[in-house]
Amino acid sequence: MLTTEAFNALLKTLEEPPAHAKFLFATTDPEKVLPTILSRCQRFDLRRIPAAQIVTHLAMIAQREGVVIEEPALHAIARGADGGLRDAEGTLDQLISFCPGAITEPDVLAMFGLAARQDILALAEAVLRGDLEGALRRIQALADGGKDLGRLLGDLLHHFRNLLLLQVARGDRSLIEVSDAEAAALGEQAKLAPSDAVTRILEVLTSGEGRLRDASSKRIALEVLLVKASQARSSVSLDAVLKQLQQLRGTPALAPPPPAATAPATPVPAPPVASETPPAPVPLAAPRQVSAADPAALWRETVAGLPPFARSLFADGTPRAPEGGTLTVAIHGAAGRLSLADTPANRAAIEARLQSLGHALRIRLVAGEAPPAAASAPVPATSPAVAAKPAAPKPPARVAPVALNKEDFKNDPLIQAALEAFKGEIVEIRGPAT
């Protein structure tokens, strides 16, 4: 709190100190002290005292004073003092005055408004197991008991921090300050979730710590935080999602459906055969045959026999005339659309559909450019230049987009596989852009 002038006056005293005096300065803002003062002092940076040392010191004081105090109570005092030995000694002094008999852990918890260590362990275990009901009931009991919910969140953060460090250090306790009983409990909880899940829980709790201080209802804010933390435990990372999507792309999820019939199939009676071999299934009527000379009509008929999700990918493709037994189709749209469409399963489904239409063609998918612009209006025939100019070739016809049925889309095998893999649900369905 000294001004510059007061510091200058103090400097004079420090330069010529009395022989019988020693000066001790204590400050929490050493950067505000003038360099001329600092240069004449020995500096000692005081840090928080480890909880284990505070417990040992308090036990020694209690023994000398003849006070009976439980060991959990000593750990609770050290936890509440947060590294300050003076605060810990002051708390012990108050407890000796108010508790004429033995000092127990509930006495300390009532003074600080802290939750018991067992409550912290049980609440953390409920989050790790995804037991939302158990976690919320525990919060209700602690809130009704008058516990400080802000301090409770801080204790939870400290607990999950210790859990993460114990997992990263593979059981080495040198990075954390806990008792033997708490270390054993942490070791058991470390088996409930991997370190990346604990990291996500810590991120959720840390992000909500500031909001809890300003919340009008701390209990509701803490309950929402615990629900989010429990959900974050089982969430899937983006890398895992992409990996599973890549695996789904290579699976034959787009198996071709049975050929569509233009008329009701008429079963053909099979002749009686004296054999145990069952008769072969009767094929349905063949689909409508389309000539390969009309690529647009052929492609339209091919796409019509694919599952709904595949139709949305290939409906606006632009086919070219078959060459050398290969049908080339240009896929328009974003760059990632071709990689999503061009999979072995999709190509097999399309080639099977072409086979059912009477065309043994291989399929080749390429990236398509924007659709060609429409031809400009013709110039009057009175112009000799136009009369001699050959007519521009018509751009290849594109297949109109297929309007998806919502129920068909949700029942598509690939969509069902994705929902099952990611435990998701469809909240909105949009058709392809026109």
Side-chain angles (χ1 to χ4, degrees), residues 96-157:
I96 292 174
S97 302
F98 294 133
C99 303
I103 301 175
T104 62
E105 184 184 22
D107 298 329
V108 182
L109 299 178
M111 175 175 291
F112 282 111
L114 297 175
R117 177 56 59 186
Q118 292 302 320
D119 291 329
I120 301 298
L121 291 173
L123 190 57
E125 183 172 347
V127 172
L128 291 172
R129 293 185 181 276
D131 181 13
L132 291 179
E133 181 182 358
L136 295 179
R137 289 186 181 278
R138 184 77 57 173
I139 289 294
Q140 180 182 8
L142 293 174
D144 293 343
K147 302 304 180 184
D148 185 353
L149 298 184
R151 188 60 185 267
L152 174 62
L153 178 58
D155 290 340
L156 270 178
L157 277 169

Side-chain angles (χ1 to χ4, degrees), residues 246-269:
Q246 190 68 24
Q247 292 175 351
L248 283 176
R249 287 177 52 196
T251 58
L254 294 180
T262 56
T266 304
V268 180

Side-chain angles (χ1 to χ4, degrees), residues 8-23 40:
N8 289 331
L10 176 62
L11 181 61
K12 180 64 176 176
T13 305
L14 292 179
E15 289 177 341
E16 300 175 2
H20 63 278
K22 292 184 183 297
F23 292 94
R40 289 165 171 79

Side-chain angles (χ1 to χ4, degrees), residues 30-194:
E31 67 279 357
K32 295 183 180 180
V33 181
L34 297 181
T36 51
I37 300 292
L38 293 176
S39 64
R40 289 165 171 79
C41 297
Q42 290 181 338
R43 176 169 173 170
F44 301 94
D45 291 321
L46 303 182
R47 298 176 176 84
R48 297 183 186 275
I49 301 176
Q53 294 186 17
I54 293 180
V55 169
T56 301
H57 184 72
L58 294 181
M60 181 266 295
I61 294 178
Q63 183 180 7
R64 289 183 178 180
E65 297 293 331
V67 176
V68 179
I69 182 171
E70 297 178 351
E71 184 176 355
L74 292 174
H75 286 279
I77 295 174
R79 179 158 60 99
D82 196 20
L85 183 59
R86 181 179 59 184
D87 293 340
E89 291 180 345
T91 301
L92 179 61
D93 185 44
Q94 295 180 48
L95 289 169
I96 292 174
S97 302
F98 294 133
C99 303
I103 301 175
T104 62
E105 184 184 22
D107 298 329
V108 182
L109 299 178
M111 175 175 291
F112 282 111
L114 297 175
R117 177 56 59 186
Q118 292 302 320
D119 291 329
I120 301 298
L121 291 173
L123 190 57
E125 183 172 347
V127 172
L128 291 172
R129 293 185 181 276
D131 181 13
L132 291 179
E133 181 182 358
L136 295 179
R137 289 186 181 278
R138 184 77 57 173
I139 289 294
Q140 180 182 8
L142 293 174
D144 293 343
K147 302 304 180 184
D148 185 353
L149 298 184
R151 188 60 185 267
L152 174 62
L153 178 58
D155 290 340
L156 270 178
L157 277 169
H158 188 71
H159 175 80
F160 281 110
R161 176 255 184 191
N162 288 342
L163 181 60
L164 179 62
L165 292 181
L166 191 68
Q167 289 178 324
V168 172
R170 299 182 180 180
D172 185 5
R173 294 171 50 184
S174 61
L175 297 177
I176 58 178
E177 297 178 9
V178 293
S179 62
D180 293 338
E182 188 175 354
L186 286 172
E188 292 298 322
Q189 290 190 0
K191 304 174 184 178
L192 300 178

Side-chain angles (χ1 to χ4, degrees), residues 259-295:
T262 56
T266 304
V268 180
V273 180
S275 172
E276 296 181 358
T277 304
V282 180
L284 298 174
R288 182 170 64 91
Q289 301 297 316
V290 182
S291 173
D294 188 355

